[in-house]
Amino acid sequence: MAIIRKKLSDLHVSEERVAEIANMPDEDIDYSDIPELDEAWFAKAELRMPVTKEQVTLRLDVDILRFFKAQGKGYQTRINAVLRAYVDAMKKGEA
């Protein structure tokens, strides 16, 4: 339940709405917009393991760090995404 509360709070859902959702009986949940996962779906499915991350110490220019931090939570993830885009672009240039 703590994970659900965290995810909903990230979406700026009020505490009252979080409590309402948490206390909703399963039979009141509308699943009609979720397609059935049949044998054909599982036949095409592939297992993808999450990419591991490594903790590092990195020195950044103060203005760069302030820029990313000013965008709010998840600034390290955004920095990683920018670096990922650069690496992917560089790899494409090598091909």
Side-chain angles (χ1 to χ4, degrees):
M1 189 55 64
I3 293 172
I4 293 171
R5 288 185 187 279
K6 169 116 177 66
K7 298 273 186 209
L8 290 173
S9 67
D10 289 348
L11 297 172
H12 307 290
V13 177
S14 71
E15 282 297 319
E16 294 80 20
R17 183 66 177 138
V18 170
E20 181 183 334
I21 292 168
N23 294 318
M24 181 184 294
D26 287 349
E27 58 271 6
D28 290 348
I29 300 172
D30 178 12
Y31 295 103
S32 63
D33 60 337
I34 302 173
E36 289 287 326
L37 302 182
D38 58 10
E39 293 297 323
W41 185 90
F42 282 102
K44 292 188 279 184
E46 63 182 65
L47 177 63
R48 291 193 182 181
M49 299 303 291
V51 177
T52 59
K53 306 232 179 198
E54 185 171 336
Q55 183 174 346
V56 298
T57 300
L58 178 66
R59 296 186 184 274
L60 300 171
D61 294 341
V62 173
D63 62 321
I64 300 295
L65 187 57
R66 282 187 186 144
F67 173 83
F68 281 97
K69 280 187 170 184
Q71 297 174 36
K73 282 177 65 173
Y75 73 93
Q76 292 173 328
T77 300
R78 282 189 297 280
I79 292 170
N80 189 76
V82 168
L83 292 170
R84 164 65 52 213
Y86 177 80
V87 168
D88 291 347
M90 295 302 290
K91 285 181 179 178
K92 284 182 183 176
E94 294 175 359

